[in-house]
Amino acid sequence: GENVEQHPSTLSVQEGDSAVIKCTYSDSASNYFPWYKQELGKGPQLIIDIRSNVGEKKDQRIAVTLNKTAKHFSLHITETQPEDSAVYFCATPPPGNTGKLIFGQGTTLQVKP
Amino acid sequence: DAGVTQSPTHLIKTRGQQVTLRCSPISGHKSVSWYQQVLGQGPQFIFQYYEKEERGRGNFPDRFSARQFPNYSSELNVNALLLGDSALYLCASTALITPEQYFGPGTRLTVT
């Protein structure tokens, strides 16, 4: 079945620096790749996503890139701020099943002021 | 617009008891998926319901069941609770015509 590996598990950066989180998936037919931000005591919040027909997508300080050949996708956060501190999850649905998401293990991002 | 709502927020139960968790999807969304999130891990898929029918099931025992109502709200039931069932239970809704899933705040279940 589909498997998603996420790295690193923890990431600490200084405010203003960039942060990059990478995920690798196993099924080459996967075609949708969302990223979620989860703050303490809250549910995951969809922050950006990308479909397989696009290589990169940006939304202000965040961007997602997709490399279908290598089967990996990455979250890029620029000009990090303390409020970016949270746990970030990548995910992908098994091909043909949009009701189920397979999540990575999560990355705890700490942005130091 | 209201997002996905879940109730209750927190719940404490004893081993062997039964629990019912509730979820209301975003208005217009007809599909609801349930996930279990153990501390320090990513959410694990339990069920998907669409048009009141189970459309998918994860690797969870039969003690877990769910249903969806005509208004697309959903309930998750867990029988014979075990200590290992302690987790954050998340509900997500999707319109299905697009793949985005939106999560509720979750119900924190503690089994003692």
Side-chain angles (χ1 to χ4, degrees), chain B residues 17-75:
Chain B
Q17 286 188 315
Q18 174 265 341
V19 69
T20 298
L21 312 180
R22 296 175 177 83
C23 169
S24 291
I26 292 171
S27 177
H29 285 191
K30 298 182 178 181
S31 174
V32 169
S33 296
W34 287 94
Y35 294 80
Q36 180 195 65
Q37 186 177 26
V38 175
L39 197 62
Q41 297 182 19
Q44 297 292 316
F45 173 78
I46 309 174
F47 285 113
Q48 182 201 4
Y49 272 77
Y50 174 63
E51 293 288 7
K52 297 177 288 181
E53 291 189 11
E54 182 183 305
R55 302 288 180 163
R57 184 185 184 108
N59 188 24
F60 281 82
D62 292 344
R63 299 185 296 108
F64 289 76
S65 64
R67 56 180 176 168
Q68 187 177 34
F69 299 98
N71 66 353
Y72 305 111
S73 66
S74 177
E75 287 182 351

Side-chain angles (χ1 to χ4, degrees), chain A residues 36 38 43-44 51 89 98-99 101, chain B residues 33 35 37 42 96 99-101:
Chain A
Y36 288 87
Q38 188 173 26
R51 288 160 173 73
F89 291 97
T98 56
L101 288 173
Chain B
S33 296
Y35 294 80
Q37 186 177 26
L96 281 185
E100 293 87 351
Q101 285 196 29

Side-chain angles (χ1 to χ4, degrees), chain A residues 6-78:
Chain A
Q6 182 173 344
H7 297 282
S9 58
T10 61
L11 182 58
S12 181
V13 299
Q14 288 295 136
E15 182 177 0
D17 286 350
S18 295
V20 181
I21 304 169
K22 181 177 175 179
C23 283
T24 304
Y25 59 97
S26 58
D27 194 326
S28 57
S30 295
N31 58 15
Y32 174 65
F33 308 93
W35 283 92
Y36 288 87
K37 174 184 181 183
Q38 188 173 26
E39 297 174 295
L40 201 61
K42 297 184 178 181
Q45 176 193 2
L46 178 64
I47 56 173
I48 195 167
D49 57 12
I50 193 168
R51 288 160 173 73
S52 60
N53 58 345
V54 176
E56 183 177 4
K57 182 178 178 181
K58 289 183 180 179
D59 183 3
Q60 299 182 12
R61 296 186 298 107
I62 60 173
V64 55
T65 58
L66 172 64
N67 184 327
K68 283 191 66 71
T69 302
K71 291 190 287 187
H72 66 72
F73 57 111
S74 299
L75 177 69
H76 305 255
I77 306 174
T78 59

